[in-house]
Amino acid sequence: MFYIIGLGLGDCKDITVKGLEIIKKCDRVYLEAYTSILTCGTQALEEFYGRKLIVADRDLVEQGADDILEGAKTSDIALLVVGDPFGATTHTDLVLRAEENGIEVRVVHNASILNAVGCCGLQLYSYGETVSIPYWMDGWEPDSFYDKIASNFRNKVHTLCLLDIKVKEPTLESLVKKKKEYMPPKFMSVSEAAQQLLQIIKKRKEAQVELEINEDNLAIGLARVGSDTQKIVACSLIEMATVDLGGPLHSLIIVGPILHPLEEDYLRKFKL
Amino acid sequence: MFYIIGLGLGDCKDITVKGLEIIKKCDRVYLEAYTSILTCGTQALEEFYGRKLIVADRDLVEQGADDILEGAKTSDIALLVVGDPFGATTHTDLVLRAEENGIEVRVVHNASILNAVGCCGLQLYSYGETVSIPYWMDGWEPDSFYDKIASNFRNKVHTLCLLDIKVKEPTLESLVKKKKEYMPPKFMSVSEAAQQLLQIIKKRKEAQVELEINEDNLAIGLARVGSDTQKIVACSLIEMATVDLGGPLHSLIIVGPILHPLEEDYLRKFKL
């Protein structure tokens, strides 16, 4: 059997009882470590589970699927994933690969940012399409996420923005070499995300495009949701550009044009 | 301290280790039992936790907040909620009430249908606003949810439809009496939801309105997501009107106009 087990968002103890029981009986347990991170480290997980974990980086999950699935027809193999198993496309792909090879698959769900974001008090049913904000690089500054946020705004719903993570990304120079070298990990902060959004707004204003979202729009910054050090701040987008919420992971919400009175009440405690 | 603890979606063992530890040390533990249900019953939960639960119905949660919160300043009280704590507005309200009374609140997240729906293979970031489909009653047949589905479709995203639950609803007749009488619980099935949608489509066709969604639109029916008896079916809306997925809870997805190749691959196994 091949298990994909969600770890939730906070620390070791956010795993479900079902997930923990499975981990204890598996022959091999992989920890997916590049689409997200837990605030506790790998060592803390190993101590809590009382067993060794195999850290699975992007290369292993995307190209080494056969290695991960090896033996799963006759023994139990698990892949641990921060949040919920279906948060990333690669995990869906892995389920398909397993089933094509006649391996039974079982999924153990857990909280992910998509529902835990409810902690800021905006109603979960009042969000539109989720967007991802990527790190810009020289000459590559995509801004289509702005259009999705604007479309949600026109539909009177909020937008959850997931912020980029670069973990074990090969350096551009090393891509042409035999031996890959990796950049230090980086995690986009709410201020960096707000700054990119403000740049898009500025550029479009200069082009005299009519804008739904501008620098005064209400935004919510969230850090380390579900952990003991969770932080939430509600302020204008331009204020968010200078807010420091500390270590990763961060998420940003662009609030829609209408707030329910209960949402309004709840947000009050997070105002800058 | 007042704890709100998500139970996830399947059975007893879908609670997190953190959640279970808290339940064991609390003075009183309430189980919210009207916005959703677990496939295992209250008794199974009590046996697994090794303690008594106080079943909290709508009256208690909405009007008896003070009873629930009593003593939470100096002792530990927990409210257990199927799925994630922020799935329903009443829970958000309860957090506010607690904080207004100077009671510390801690939330333990878990999976909810909003992320567990990823199990059907549609990418979680390709959903628009979530809609609720209510049971129609004589003379009350709201159809605004159709417009939200249509709006999502125009934006090229999928729609998750949450289906109505009637648990401990007072009968119309008893509302004017002193003693409330309750209707038997009912849970909308995917076929009932599809039938209501088809009626809206028929009515609008007769009115010669141009339609985004019609009877041939691809839909996905999901039952008991996250439990061992989970079932998923992908078919046209008109076929969905006669599909029987068994016991509650059910959810329905109206698929957007564009499928990613991986979504297409994944859906294949659920085709009728």
Side-chain angles (χ1 to χ4, degrees), chain A residues 11 13-18 21 86-87 89 92 95 99 109-112 114-116 118-119 125 127 129 155 157 162 262 266 269, chain B residues 11 13-18 21 86-87 89 92 95 99 109-112 115-116 118-119 125 127 129 151 155 157 162 262 266 269:
Chain A
D11 56 36
K13 292 188 175 175
D14 284 306
I15 191 162
T16 64
V17 173
K18 191 180 279 172
E21 284 182 0
F86 290 106
T89 321
T92 315
V95 172
E99 290 176 341
H109 289 287
N110 210 320
S112 76
L114 288 188
N115 61 0
C119 62
Y125 314 127
Y127 284 84
E129 190 179 353
N155 288 321
V157 288
L162 304 175
L262 188 61
Y266 209 92
K269 60 181 160 182
Chain B
D11 55 38
K13 294 189 174 174
D14 285 305
I15 191 163
T16 64
V17 173
K18 190 179 282 174
E21 285 182 0
F86 290 106
T89 321
T92 314
V95 173
E99 291 175 341
H109 290 287
N110 209 320
S112 78
N115 61 359
C119 64
Y125 312 126
Y127 285 83
E129 191 178 355
S151 165
N155 288 322
V157 289
L162 304 175
L262 187 63
Y266 208 92
K269 60 181 163 184

Short mmCIF file of all heavy atoms in Angstrom, two decimals, chain A residues 11 13-18 21 86-87 89 92 95 99 109-112 114-116 118-119 125 127 129 155 157 162 262 266 269, chain B residues 11 13-18 21 86-87 89 92 95 99 109-112 115-116 118-119 125 127 129 151 155 157 162 262 266 269:
data_model
loop_
_atom_site.label_atom_id
_atom_site.label_comp_id
_atom_site.label_asym_id
_atom_site.label_seq_id
_atom_site.Cartn_x
_atom_site.Cartn_y
_atom_site.Cartn_z
N ASP A 11 2.99 21.85 14.02
CA ASP A 11 4.14 21.09 14.48
C ASP A 11 3.85 19.59 14.41
O ASP A 11 2.87 19.16 13.80
CB ASP A 11 4.51 21.54 15.90
CG ASP A 11 3.33 21.40 16.87
OD1 ASP A 11 2.54 20.43 16.74
OD2 ASP A 11 3.17 22.27 17.74
N LYS A 13 2.58 17.46 16.35
CA LYS A 13 1.34 16.93 16.90
C LYS A 13 0.11 17.28 16.06
O LYS A 13 -1.01 16.98 16.45
CB LYS A 13 1.14 17.43 18.34
CG LYS A 13 2.17 16.84 19.28
CD LYS A 13 1.85 17.18 20.72
CE LYS A 13 2.83 16.48 21.66
NZ LYS A 13 2.63 16.88 23.06
N ASP A 14 0.34 17.93 14.93
CA ASP A 14 -0.79 18.21 14.05
C ASP A 14 -1.11 17.05 13.11
O ASP A 14 -2.04 17.12 12.32
CB ASP A 14 -0.53 19.50 13.26
CG ASP A 14 -0.74 20.72 14.14
OD1 ASP A 14 -1.84 20.81 14.73
OD2 ASP A 14 0.18 21.53 14.27
N ILE A 15 -0.33 16.00 13.18
CA ILE A 15 -0.68 14.80 12.41
C ILE A 15 -1.91 14.15 13.04
O ILE A 15 -2.16 14.29 14.23
CB ILE A 15 0.50 13.80 12.37
CG1 ILE A 15 0.20 12.72 11.34
CG2 ILE A 15 0.77 13.20 13.75
CD1 ILE A 15 1.40 11.95 10.91
N THR A 16 -2.72 13.44 12.24
CA THR A 16 -3.87 12.76 12.82
C THR A 16 -3.43 11.44 13.47
O THR A 16 -2.36 10.91 13.16
CB THR A 16 -4.93 12.45 11.74
OG1 THR A 16 -4.39 11.52 10.80
CG2 THR A 16 -5.37 13.71 11.00
N VAL A 17 -4.29 10.95 14.35
CA VAL A 17 -4.02 9.68 15.01
C VAL A 17 -3.88 8.59 13.95
O VAL A 17 -2.98 7.74 14.01
CB VAL A 17 -5.16 9.35 15.99
CG1 VAL A 17 -5.00 7.96 16.56
CG2 VAL A 17 -5.23 10.40 17.10
N LYS A 18 -4.74 8.63 12.94
CA LYS A 18 -4.69 7.65 11.85
C LYS A 18 -3.35 7.74 11.11
O LYS A 18 -2.71 6.71 10.87
CB LYS A 18 -5.83 7.97 10.87
CG LYS A 18 -6.10 6.93 9.82
CD LYS A 18 -7.26 7.36 8.91
CE LYS A 18 -8.61 7.05 9.56
NZ LYS A 18 -9.74 7.61 8.82
N GLU A 21 -0.46 6.28 13.25
CA GLU A 21 -0.47 4.81 13.30
C GLU A 21 0.14 4.22 12.03
O GLU A 21 0.86 3.23 12.06
CB GLU A 21 -1.91 4.31 13.46
CG GLU A 21 -2.44 4.49 14.87
CD GLU A 21 -3.86 3.94 15.05
OE1 GLU A 21 -4.44 3.42 14.07
OE2 GLU A 21 -4.38 4.06 16.17
N PHE A 86 -3.39 16.80 -1.33
CA PHE A 86 -3.69 17.26 -2.68
C PHE A 86 -3.38 18.75 -2.89
O PHE A 86 -3.90 19.36 -3.81
CB PHE A 86 -5.14 16.94 -3.04
CG PHE A 86 -5.37 15.47 -3.22
CD1 PHE A 86 -6.06 14.74 -2.27
CD2 PHE A 86 -4.87 14.81 -4.33
CE1 PHE A 86 -6.25 13.37 -2.42
CE2 PHE A 86 -5.06 13.45 -4.49
CZ PHE A 86 -5.75 12.73 -3.53
N GLY A 87 -2.52 19.29 -2.04
CA GLY A 87 -2.15 20.69 -2.19
C GLY A 87 -1.27 20.94 -3.40
O GLY A 87 -1.23 22.04 -3.92
N THR A 89 0.29 19.56 -7.32
CA THR A 89 0.04 18.72 -8.48
C THR A 89 0.90 17.45 -8.47
O THR A 89 0.45 16.38 -8.89
CB THR A 89 0.35 19.50 -9.77
OG1 THR A 89 -0.09 20.83 -9.59
CG2 THR A 89 -0.34 18.89 -10.96
N THR A 92 -0.73 14.53 -6.76
CA THR A 92 -1.78 13.93 -7.57
C THR A 92 -1.16 13.01 -8.62
O THR A 92 -1.62 11.89 -8.85
CB THR A 92 -2.58 15.04 -8.29
OG1 THR A 92 -2.84 16.08 -7.37
CG2 THR A 92 -3.87 14.50 -8.85
N VAL A 95 -0.08 9.69 -7.17
CA VAL A 95 -1.20 8.77 -6.95
C VAL A 95 -1.50 8.04 -8.26
O VAL A 95 -1.66 6.81 -8.29
CB VAL A 95 -2.46 9.53 -6.47
CG1 VAL A 95 -3.67 8.61 -6.43
CG2 VAL A 95 -2.22 10.15 -5.09
N GLU A 99 -1.22 3.96 -9.04
CA GLU A 99 -2.36 3.16 -9.48
C GLU A 99 -2.09 2.49 -10.83
O GLU A 99 -2.51 1.36 -11.06
CB GLU A 99 -3.63 4.03 -9.51
CG GLU A 99 -4.07 4.40 -8.09
CD GLU A 99 -5.26 5.34 -8.02
OE1 GLU A 99 -5.55 6.02 -9.04
OE2 GLU A 99 -5.87 5.43 -6.96
N HIS A 109 -6.10 12.81 5.02
CA HIS A 109 -6.22 14.25 4.87
C HIS A 109 -5.79 15.00 6.14
O HIS A 109 -5.72 14.42 7.21
CB HIS A 109 -7.68 14.63 4.56
CG HIS A 109 -8.11 14.23 3.18
ND1 HIS A 109 -7.68 14.87 2.06
CD2 HIS A 109 -8.91 13.22 2.75
CE1 HIS A 109 -8.22 14.30 0.99
NE2 HIS A 109 -8.98 13.29 1.38
N ASN A 110 -5.56 16.28 5.97
CA ASN A 110 -5.27 17.15 7.10
C ASN A 110 -5.58 18.59 6.70
O ASN A 110 -5.94 18.85 5.55
CB ASN A 110 -3.81 17.00 7.54
CG ASN A 110 -3.63 17.26 9.03
OD1 ASN A 110 -4.24 18.17 9.57
ND2 ASN A 110 -2.82 16.46 9.68
N ALA A 111 -5.42 19.49 7.65
CA ALA A 111 -5.65 20.91 7.36
C ALA A 111 -4.63 21.42 6.35
O ALA A 111 -3.50 20.96 6.31
CB ALA A 111 -5.53 21.72 8.64
N SER A 112 -5.04 22.34 5.52
CA SER A 112 -4.10 23.05 4.66
C SER A 112 -4.42 24.53 4.76
O SER A 112 -5.43 24.92 5.35
CB SER A 112 -4.22 22.58 3.21
OG SER A 112 -5.38 23.12 2.62
N LEU A 114 -5.67 26.36 2.71
CA LEU A 114 -6.94 26.66 2.06
C LEU A 114 -8.13 26.68 3.02
O LEU A 114 -9.11 27.37 2.78
CB LEU A 114 -7.24 25.65 0.96
CG LEU A 114 -6.40 25.74 -0.31
CD1 LEU A 114 -6.93 24.80 -1.36
CD2 LEU A 114 -6.36 27.17 -0.85
N ASN A 115 -8.08 25.91 4.09
CA ASN A 115 -9.16 26.03 5.07
C ASN A 115 -8.70 26.71 6.36
O ASN A 115 -9.46 27.45 6.97
CB ASN A 115 -9.89 24.71 5.34
CG ASN A 115 -9.00 23.63 5.90
OD1 ASN A 115 -7.80 23.83 6.10
ND2 ASN A 115 -9.56 22.47 6.14
N ALA A 116 -7.43 26.52 6.72
CA ALA A 116 -6.95 27.11 7.97
C ALA A 116 -6.96 28.64 7.90
O ALA A 116 -7.00 29.32 8.92
CB ALA A 116 -5.55 26.61 8.30
N GLY A 118 -9.23 30.37 7.40
CA GLY A 118 -10.44 30.79 8.10
C GLY A 118 -10.13 31.49 9.42
O GLY A 118 -10.97 32.23 9.94
N CYS A 119 -8.94 31.28 9.96
CA CYS A 119 -8.55 31.85 11.25
C CYS A 119 -8.54 33.38 11.25
O CYS A 119 -8.54 33.99 12.31
CB CYS A 119 -7.19 31.33 11.70
SG CYS A 119 -5.86 31.78 10.56
N TYR A 125 -16.39 30.69 2.40
CA TYR A 125 -17.18 30.58 1.18
C TYR A 125 -17.19 31.89 0.41
O TYR A 125 -17.85 32.00 -0.61
CB TYR A 125 -18.61 30.12 1.51
CG TYR A 125 -18.59 28.96 2.47
CD1 TYR A 125 -19.30 28.96 3.66
CD2 TYR A 125 -17.77 27.86 2.19
CE1 TYR A 125 -19.21 27.90 4.55
CE2 TYR A 125 -17.67 26.81 3.08
CZ TYR A 125 -18.38 26.83 4.25
OH TYR A 125 -18.28 25.80 5.12
N TYR A 127 -14.39 33.36 -0.77
CA TYR A 127 -13.13 33.48 -1.50
C TYR A 127 -13.36 33.07 -2.94
O TYR A 127 -14.10 32.13 -3.21
CB TYR A 127 -12.05 32.56 -0.91
CG TYR A 127 -11.45 33.04 0.38
CD1 TYR A 127 -12.08 32.77 1.60
CD2 TYR A 127 -10.26 33.74 0.40
CE1 TYR A 127 -11.53 33.21 2.80
CE2 TYR A 127 -9.71 34.17 1.60
CZ TYR A 127 -10.35 33.90 2.79
OH TYR A 127 -9.80 34.33 3.98
N GLU A 129 -11.09 32.33 -6.72
CA GLU A 129 -9.96 31.50 -7.12
C GLU A 129 -8.70 31.89 -6.34
O GLU A 129 -8.42 33.06 -6.15
CB GLU A 129 -9.74 31.70 -8.63
CG GLU A 129 -8.77 30.75 -9.25
CD GLU A 129 -8.63 31.01 -10.76
OE1 GLU A 129 -9.39 31.83 -11.30
OE2 GLU A 129 -7.76 30.39 -11.37
N ASN A 155 -16.16 40.12 -8.60
CA ASN A 155 -17.18 39.16 -8.16
C ASN A 155 -17.48 39.27 -6.66
O ASN A 155 -18.16 38.42 -6.08
CB ASN A 155 -16.74 37.73 -8.50
CG ASN A 155 -16.81 37.45 -9.98
OD1 ASN A 155 -17.74 37.89 -10.66
ND2 ASN A 155 -15.83 36.71 -10.49
N VAL A 157 -15.59 38.86 -4.01
CA VAL A 157 -15.02 37.85 -3.11
C VAL A 157 -13.55 38.16 -2.82
O VAL A 157 -12.92 38.95 -3.51
CB VAL A 157 -15.16 36.42 -3.69
CG1 VAL A 157 -16.62 35.95 -3.63
CG2 VAL A 157 -14.63 36.32 -5.12
N LEU A 162 -1.10 32.60 -2.38
CA LEU A 162 -0.04 31.75 -1.85
C LEU A 162 1.29 32.31 -2.34
O LEU A 162 1.42 32.69 -3.50
CB LEU A 162 -0.23 30.32 -2.36
CG LEU A 162 -1.61 29.73 -2.02
CD1 LEU A 162 -1.77 28.37 -2.66
CD2 LEU A 162 -1.78 29.62 -0.51
N LEU A 262 -19.92 40.31 10.62
CA LEU A 262 -19.14 39.42 11.47
C LEU A 262 -17.67 39.41 11.04
O LEU A 262 -16.76 39.35 11.89
CB LEU A 262 -19.72 37.99 11.40
CG LEU A 262 -19.14 36.97 12.37
CD1 LEU A 262 -19.35 37.36 13.81
CD2 LEU A 262 -19.75 35.58 12.12
N TYR A 266 -14.52 40.60 13.39
CA TYR A 266 -13.41 39.68 13.65
C TYR A 266 -12.07 40.30 13.27
O TYR A 266 -11.06 40.13 13.95
CB TYR A 266 -13.63 38.38 12.87
CG TYR A 266 -13.01 37.18 13.54
CD1 TYR A 266 -13.73 36.41 14.43
CD2 TYR A 266 -11.69 36.83 13.29
CE1 TYR A 266 -13.16 35.31 15.06
CE2 TYR A 266 -11.10 35.74 13.91
CZ TYR A 266 -11.85 34.98 14.79
OH TYR A 266 -11.28 33.90 15.42
N LYS A 269 -9.44 42.94 15.57
CA LYS A 269 -8.31 42.64 16.46
C LYS A 269 -6.97 42.51 15.71
O LYS A 269 -5.92 42.47 16.32
CB LYS A 269 -8.58 41.38 17.28
CG LYS A 269 -8.80 40.13 16.47
CD LYS A 269 -9.09 38.92 17.38
CE LYS A 269 -9.79 37.83 16.57
NZ LYS A 269 -10.14 36.66 17.36
N ASP B 11 -13.44 9.30 10.51
CA ASP B 11 -13.88 8.62 11.73
C ASP B 11 -13.10 9.17 12.93
O ASP B 11 -12.44 10.20 12.84
CB ASP B 11 -13.70 7.11 11.58
CG ASP B 11 -12.27 6.74 11.20
OD1 ASP B 11 -11.34 7.39 11.70
OD2 ASP B 11 -12.08 5.82 10.37
N LYS B 13 -10.38 8.44 14.33
CA LYS B 13 -8.92 8.57 14.26
C LYS B 13 -8.46 9.71 13.35
O LYS B 13 -7.27 9.86 13.12
CB LYS B 13 -8.31 7.25 13.80
CG LYS B 13 -8.50 6.14 14.82
CD LYS B 13 -7.70 4.91 14.46
CE LYS B 13 -7.78 3.88 15.57
NZ LYS B 13 -7.14 2.61 15.18
N ASP B 14 -9.40 10.48 12.81
CA ASP B 14 -9.01 11.63 12.01
C ASP B 14 -8.74 12.87 12.85
O ASP B 14 -8.37 13.91 12.33
CB ASP B 14 -10.06 11.91 10.93
CG ASP B 14 -9.96 10.90 9.81
OD1 ASP B 14 -8.86 10.77 9.25
OD2 ASP B 14 -10.95 10.21 9.52
N ILE B 15 -8.91 12.77 14.14
CA ILE B 15 -8.52 13.88 15.01
C ILE B 15 -6.99 13.95 15.06
O ILE B 15 -6.31 12.94 14.87
CB ILE B 15 -9.10 13.70 16.44
CG1 ILE B 15 -8.89 15.00 17.22
CG2 ILE B 15 -8.47 12.51 17.16
CD1 ILE B 15 -9.76 15.10 18.45
N THR B 16 -6.45 15.14 15.29
CA THR B 16 -4.99 15.25 15.40
C THR B 16 -4.54 14.82 16.80
O THR B 16 -5.33 14.80 17.75
CB THR B 16 -4.50 16.68 15.16
OG1 THR B 16 -5.02 17.53 16.18
CG2 THR B 16 -4.96 17.20 13.80
N VAL B 17 -3.27 14.47 16.89
CA VAL B 17 -2.70 14.10 18.19
C VAL B 17 -2.87 15.25 19.18
O VAL B 17 -3.26 15.05 20.33
CB VAL B 17 -1.20 13.74 18.01
CG1 VAL B 17 -0.53 13.51 19.36
CG2 VAL B 17 -1.05 12.52 17.11
N LYS B 18 -2.64 16.48 18.69
CA LYS B 18 -2.81 17.67 19.52
C LYS B 18 -4.24 17.78 20.03
O LYS B 18 -4.48 18.01 21.22
CB LYS B 18 -2.46 18.91 18.68
CG LYS B 18 -2.35 20.20 19.43
CD LYS B 18 -1.97 21.35 18.49
CE LYS B 18 -0.47 21.33 18.16
NZ LYS B 18 -0.11 22.34 17.14
N GLU B 21 -5.05 15.11 22.74
CA GLU B 21 -4.45 15.43 24.05
C GLU B 21 -5.29 16.49 24.78
O GLU B 21 -5.48 16.40 25.99
CB GLU B 21 -3.02 15.97 23.85
CG GLU B 21 -2.02 14.88 23.51
CD GLU B 21 -0.60 15.41 23.36
OE1 GLU B 21 -0.37 16.63 23.51
OE2 GLU B 21 0.29 14.59 23.09
N PHE B 86 -13.36 26.64 11.34
CA PHE B 86 -13.90 27.85 10.73
C PHE B 86 -14.82 27.56 9.54
O PHE B 86 -15.06 28.42 8.71
CB PHE B 86 -12.79 28.81 10.34
CG PHE B 86 -12.11 29.42 11.54
CD1 PHE B 86 -10.85 29.01 11.92
CD2 PHE B 86 -12.77 30.37 12.30
CE1 PHE B 86 -10.24 29.56 13.04
CE2 PHE B 86 -12.17 30.92 13.42
CZ PHE B 86 -10.90 30.52 13.79
N GLY B 87 -15.35 26.32 9.49
CA GLY B 87 -16.26 25.97 8.41
C GLY B 87 -17.61 26.65 8.52
O GLY B 87 -18.30 26.85 7.51
N THR B 89 -20.10 29.87 10.26
CA THR B 89 -20.10 31.21 10.85
C THR B 89 -20.32 31.18 12.37
O THR B 89 -19.73 31.98 13.09
CB THR B 89 -21.24 32.04 10.23
OG1 THR B 89 -21.30 31.72 8.85
CG2 THR B 89 -20.98 33.51 10.38
N THR B 92 -17.10 30.99 14.32
CA THR B 92 -16.38 32.27 14.33
C THR B 92 -17.00 33.18 15.37
O THR B 92 -16.32 33.84 16.15
CB THR B 92 -16.51 32.95 12.94
OG1 THR B 92 -16.25 31.97 11.93
CG2 THR B 92 -15.52 34.08 12.78
N VAL B 95 -15.93 32.29 18.90
CA VAL B 95 -14.58 32.76 19.22
C VAL B 95 -14.64 34.22 19.66
O VAL B 95 -14.07 34.60 20.68
CB VAL B 95 -13.64 32.63 17.99
CG1 VAL B 95 -12.29 33.27 18.28
CG2 VAL B 95 -13.44 31.17 17.61
N GLU B 99 -13.66 35.81 23.36
CA GLU B 99 -12.64 36.85 23.54
C GLU B 99 -13.21 38.11 24.19
O GLU B 99 -12.55 38.75 25.01
CB GLU B 99 -11.97 37.14 22.20
CG GLU B 99 -11.10 35.96 21.74
CD GLU B 99 -10.50 36.13 20.37
OE1 GLU B 99 -11.01 36.97 19.59
OE2 GLU B 99 -9.54 35.40 20.06
N HIS B 109 -6.74 23.02 13.97
CA HIS B 109 -7.27 22.84 12.61
C HIS B 109 -7.34 21.37 12.21
O HIS B 109 -6.70 20.51 12.81
CB HIS B 109 -6.40 23.59 11.61
CG HIS B 109 -6.51 25.08 11.72
ND1 HIS B 109 -7.61 25.75 11.29
CD2 HIS B 109 -5.67 26.01 12.22
CE1 HIS B 109 -7.44 27.06 11.51
NE2 HIS B 109 -6.27 27.24 12.08
N ASN B 110 -8.09 21.14 11.15
CA ASN B 110 -8.14 19.79 10.57
C ASN B 110 -8.64 19.91 9.14
O ASN B 110 -8.99 21.00 8.68
CB ASN B 110 -9.06 18.88 11.41
CG ASN B 110 -8.64 17.42 11.34
OD1 ASN B 110 -8.25 16.94 10.26
ND2 ASN B 110 -8.69 16.72 12.45
N ALA B 111 -8.68 18.78 8.46
CA ALA B 111 -9.18 18.77 7.08
C ALA B 111 -10.65 19.15 7.05
O ALA B 111 -11.40 18.86 7.98
CB ALA B 111 -9.00 17.38 6.47
N SER B 112 -11.06 19.82 5.98
CA SER B 112 -12.48 20.06 5.75
C SER B 112 -12.75 19.73 4.29
O SER B 112 -11.82 19.48 3.53
CB SER B 112 -12.83 21.51 6.05
OG SER B 112 -12.41 22.34 5.00
N ASN B 115 -10.65 21.41 1.38
CA ASN B 115 -9.39 20.93 0.81
C ASN B 115 -9.43 19.44 0.48
O ASN B 115 -8.84 19.01 -0.50
CB ASN B 115 -8.17 21.30 1.68
CG ASN B 115 -8.21 20.69 3.06
OD1 ASN B 115 -9.14 20.00 3.43
ND2 ASN B 115 -7.19 20.97 3.84
N ALA B 116 -10.19 18.66 1.26
CA ALA B 116 -10.25 17.21 1.01
C ALA B 116 -10.86 16.91 -0.36
O ALA B 116 -10.64 15.84 -0.94
CB ALA B 116 -11.02 16.51 2.12
N GLY B 118 -9.93 17.81 -2.97
CA GLY B 118 -8.81 17.55 -3.87
C GLY B 118 -8.72 16.08 -4.27
O GLY B 118 -8.12 15.75 -5.30
N CYS B 119 -9.34 15.18 -3.50
CA CYS B 119 -9.30 13.74 -3.78
C CYS B 119 -9.90 13.38 -5.13
O CYS B 119 -9.68 12.28 -5.64
CB CYS B 119 -9.99 12.96 -2.67
SG CYS B 119 -11.74 13.33 -2.53
N TYR B 125 -6.58 24.93 -6.74
CA TYR B 125 -6.45 26.34 -7.06
C TYR B 125 -7.30 26.72 -8.27
O TYR B 125 -7.28 27.85 -8.71
CB TYR B 125 -4.98 26.70 -7.29
CG TYR B 125 -4.12 26.14 -6.18
CD1 TYR B 125 -3.03 25.35 -6.45
CD2 TYR B 125 -4.48 26.36 -4.86
CE1 TYR B 125 -2.29 24.80 -5.40
CE2 TYR B 125 -3.75 25.82 -3.82
CZ TYR B 125 -2.65 25.04 -4.10
OH TYR B 125 -1.93 24.50 -3.06
N TYR B 127 -10.66 26.33 -8.33
CA TYR B 127 -12.05 26.46 -7.91
C TYR B 127 -12.37 27.94 -7.72
O TYR B 127 -11.53 28.70 -7.24
CB TYR B 127 -12.29 25.75 -6.58
CG TYR B 127 -12.36 24.25 -6.68
CD1 TYR B 127 -11.21 23.47 -6.68
CD2 TYR B 127 -13.59 23.60 -6.76
CE1 TYR B 127 -11.27 22.09 -6.76
CE2 TYR B 127 -13.66 22.21 -6.84
CZ TYR B 127 -12.49 21.46 -6.84
OH TYR B 127 -12.56 20.10 -6.92
N GLU B 129 -15.63 30.60 -6.22
CA GLU B 129 -16.40 30.72 -4.98
C GLU B 129 -17.20 29.44 -4.72
O GLU B 129 -17.81 28.87 -5.63
CB GLU B 129 -17.35 31.91 -5.14
CG GLU B 129 -18.04 32.33 -3.87
CD GLU B 129 -18.94 33.55 -4.11
OE1 GLU B 129 -18.94 34.09 -5.22
OE2 GLU B 129 -19.65 33.92 -3.18
N SER B 151 -21.02 32.15 -13.01
CA SER B 151 -19.95 33.14 -12.95
C SER B 151 -18.59 32.43 -12.86
O SER B 151 -17.63 32.79 -13.54
CB SER B 151 -20.18 34.07 -11.77
OG SER B 151 -19.03 34.79 -11.47
N ASN B 155 -15.40 32.30 -15.55
CA ASN B 155 -14.02 32.55 -15.14
C ASN B 155 -13.14 31.31 -15.31
O ASN B 155 -12.01 31.27 -14.83
CB ASN B 155 -13.97 33.03 -13.69
CG ASN B 155 -14.49 34.44 -13.54
OD1 ASN B 155 -14.24 35.28 -14.40
ND2 ASN B 155 -15.25 34.70 -12.48
N VAL B 157 -13.30 28.33 -13.96
CA VAL B 157 -12.96 27.55 -12.76
C VAL B 157 -14.12 26.65 -12.35
O VAL B 157 -15.25 26.82 -12.80
CB VAL B 157 -12.55 28.47 -11.58
CG1 VAL B 157 -11.19 29.11 -11.83
CG2 VAL B 157 -13.60 29.54 -11.33
N LEU B 162 -21.78 22.81 -1.72
CA LEU B 162 -22.06 22.16 -0.45
C LEU B 162 -23.57 21.93 -0.37
O LEU B 162 -24.35 22.83 -0.70
CB LEU B 162 -21.58 23.04 0.71
CG LEU B 162 -20.10 23.40 0.62
CD1 LEU B 162 -19.72 24.37 1.73
CD2 LEU B 162 -19.22 22.16 0.69
N LEU B 262 -3.72 16.62 -16.50
CA LEU B 262 -3.62 15.77 -15.31
C LEU B 262 -5.00 15.58 -14.66
O LEU B 262 -5.33 14.50 -14.15
CB LEU B 262 -2.63 16.41 -14.32
CG LEU B 262 -2.27 15.58 -13.09
CD1 LEU B 262 -1.57 14.30 -13.46
CD2 LEU B 262 -1.37 16.39 -12.14
N TYR B 266 -6.93 12.00 -14.17
CA TYR B 266 -7.34 11.57 -12.84
C TYR B 266 -8.82 11.25 -12.80
O TYR B 266 -9.27 10.31 -12.13
CB TYR B 266 -7.00 12.66 -11.81
CG TYR B 266 -6.74 12.12 -10.43
CD1 TYR B 266 -5.45 11.80 -10.03
CD2 TYR B 266 -7.77 11.92 -9.53
CE1 TYR B 266 -5.20 11.30 -8.77
CE2 TYR B 266 -7.54 11.42 -8.26
CZ TYR B 266 -6.24 11.11 -7.88
OH TYR B 266 -6.00 10.61 -6.62
N LYS B 269 -10.91 7.52 -13.82
CA LYS B 269 -11.31 6.38 -12.99
C LYS B 269 -12.66 6.55 -12.30
O LYS B 269 -13.21 5.61 -11.75
CB LYS B 269 -10.23 6.06 -11.95
CG LYS B 269 -9.92 7.19 -10.99
CD LYS B 269 -8.81 6.79 -10.00
CE LYS B 269 -8.22 8.02 -9.34
NZ LYS B 269 -7.10 7.75 -8.47
#
